[in-house]
Amino acid sequence: MSNYAESFGQGGMNDQVDIDSLMQEIDIDRGEIDWRKDFVNFDEEDVARLTDLRPLFEAHTEDIAELFYENLTGYEETVEVIGRSEKNVEQLKETQRAYFTTLAGGEYDYDYFKNRARIGKLHDLLEMPMKQYIGQYGVYYDLILPLLTERTAEQLADRVREAVDGAASDDELTRIIDSEIEELRADITSVLRIINLDMQVVADTYIHSYSQKLEREIEQREQLAREVETDLEEPLSDLQRSSTNVAQSSQ
């Protein structure tokens, strides 16, 4: 594992997040993680494929981070969110390199999903709208898929060259091409599955935050209603006492 991955999650805002309590409140435990993996068909073959992609990802962490933040800093709305972080852009790029590396880290256990929940909560604390956070995954697709297709093109060219040198038949060449295309499809599917699982956890943290805000808003409104009711009851009580006094005096 690269140094980027080892430094992942060491930011200054982490002490603001009680990650164990958060995982309990969003109902993510080991059983839930297993269910989600099964639901999107994420299995050991996906783990093996992602692990195999690790050298490719690690070789491009610098480029990915640069391109990723080139997109983010191109919009006023996202620049505003970045400005609320305790880290500068260069430090955020390092965090991004670490995150990208862990996608192909080969370990997708409870701790992996705790990290994803923590990341989602930190972005919520920075008041990054969900549309921006989820939208960032679309940027990832644009950055990752070309890496996979270029890798396949190089492997296909090597295999075809060897086959031609060996006087392979047209059927053999067709099988080679079909094989490489199928490998590319499977690699893309594995990447999309792990990103989908990441997105689920992020959505959970945002929904949890929205629910807490809604509960606080309801409590404040109920408290205000009780105070208004009390304020109205006091004049009514005085009026009732005055009416009783007048009636007694008249009698």
Side-chain angles (χ1 to χ4, degrees):
M1 187 65 64
S2 69
N3 291 332
Y4 290 134
E6 291 173 0
S7 64
F8 193 37
Q10 304 302 316
M13 291 182 63
N14 286 282
D15 57 358
Q16 300 182 38
V17 180
D18 183 348
I19 187 59
D20 291 320
S21 296
L22 177 62
M23 291 292 280
Q24 291 179 0
E25 291 171 8
I26 61 178
D27 295 325
I28 296 183
D29 54 20
R30 288 172 175 79
E32 174 66 14
I33 291 169
D34 289 341
W35 188 92
R36 294 187 184 197
K37 287 180 179 179
D38 185 63
F39 189 69
V40 300
N41 296 317
F42 184 87
D43 55 23
E44 290 304 315
E45 181 181 346
D46 295 302
V47 174
R49 288 187 173 280
L50 290 169
T51 302
D52 183 59
L53 290 174
R54 183 189 300 169
L56 177 69
F57 280 22
E58 290 183 345
H60 290 85
T61 51
E62 298 286 343
D63 295 338
I64 292 295
E66 290 296 328
L67 293 170
F68 187 84
Y69 272 91
E70 180 179 318
N71 180 76
L72 283 184
T73 55
Y75 295 89
E76 181 179 339
E77 296 85 352
T78 45
V79 169
E80 182 180 346
V81 175
I82 292 172
R84 291 194 286 268
S85 174
E86 296 179 356
K87 297 182 178 180
N88 59 38
V89 172
E90 289 305 315
Q91 290 172 320
L92 290 170
K93 286 180 182 178
E94 183 174 349
T95 301
Q96 188 59 43
R97 295 180 192 111
Y99 176 83
F100 182 64
T101 302
T102 60
L103 278 177
E107 296 291 337
Y108 308 100
D109 52 12
Y110 183 75
D111 287 337
Y112 176 92
F113 289 94
K114 280 178 64 175
N115 262 327
R116 269 39 188 178
R118 177 182 54 77
I119 295 168
K121 187 61 178 178
L122 290 175
H123 282 77
D124 177 57
L125 290 174
L126 291 174
E127 298 182 2
M128 171 176 275
M130 185 186 287
K131 65 180 181 181
Q132 291 182 17
Y133 197 118
I134 298 298
Q136 292 179 103
Y137 288 104
V139 178
Y140 257 140
Y141 300 151
D142 290 340
L143 299 176
I144 294 175
L145 298 187
L147 295 181
L148 301 182
T149 54
E150 289 169 10
R151 177 177 184 252
T152 296
E154 292 173 359
Q155 292 174 340
L156 178 58
D158 290 341
R159 291 185 64 185
V160 169
R161 191 178 301 111
E162 291 176 1
V164 170
D165 290 343
S169 66
D170 290 344
D171 287 343
E172 289 174 323
L173 289 174
T174 298
R175 283 195 293 272
I176 290 173
I177 293 171
D178 289 345
S179 171
E180 287 296 330
I181 292 175
E182 174 57 26
E183 287 296 304
L184 174 61
R185 182 205 64 77
D187 286 344
I188 290 174
T189 300
S190 294
V191 170
L192 293 179
R193 282 171 178 162
I194 191 58
I195 289 179
N196 179 279
L197 290 167
D198 281 16
M199 291 171 65
Q200 289 183 40
V201 178
V202 168
D204 286 332
T205 62
Y206 270 74
I207 292 171
H208 171 260
S209 178
Y210 295 154
S211 299
Q212 287 186 321
K213 291 176 182 176
L214 181 59
E215 289 174 1
R216 288 195 296 268
E217 181 68 21
I218 291 173
E219 290 176 0
Q220 291 173 357
R221 288 178 180 272
E222 290 177 345
Q223 178 62 30
L224 178 61
R226 288 192 294 269
E227 291 174 356
V228 170
E229 184 178 356
T230 300
D231 291 342
L232 289 175
E233 286 177 350
E234 291 178 355
L236 287 174
S237 298
D238 293 339
L239 180 60
Q240 289 172 346
R241 285 193 295 271
S242 298
S243 298
T244 299
N245 293 335
V246 169
Q248 292 174 348
S249 297
S250 298
Q251 291 174 358

